[in-house]
Amino acid sequence: MRLDVMLARRKIRSNELARAIGITEANLSLLKAGKVKGLRFSTLEAICRHLQCQPGDLLDYDTETDKPA
């Protein structure tokens, strides 16, 4: 998850984004840290709409860390 990078590029604070899209700052922090197992499409859409970006700007797939054990 590259949400922190996009927030910095847009010069938007986490608390502002959380308020704008209707989630808690704690949940947004978990998203930024990549500590969630899932993300609702409606939340992703709201983030992208507010930051004026595409999902691919926020999400990154790393084949090395995502291999099954």
Side-chain angles (χ1 to χ4, degrees), residues 4 17 29 40 44 46 48 50-51 59 65 68-69:
D4 55 342
L17 178 62
S29 179
R40 290 183 180 187
L44 181 59
C48 289
H50 191 77
L51 297 178
L59 303 174
T65 60

Side-chain angles (χ1 to χ4, degrees), residues 6-45:
M6 191 57 64
L7 285 169
R9 285 183 182 166
R10 300 293 192 253
K11 297 180 181 170
I12 295 175
R13 302 179 106 198
S14 295
N15 60 356
E16 178 186 341
L17 178 62
R19 246 187 341 270
I21 65 172
I23 66 171
T24 66
E25 290 181 48
N27 283 340
L28 186 61
S29 179
L30 291 171
L31 278 173
K32 284 174 43 178
K35 296 191 180 209
V36 294
K37 298 241 182 220
L39 174 62
R40 290 183 180 187
F41 285 122
S42 59
T43 303
L44 181 59
E45 179 184 11

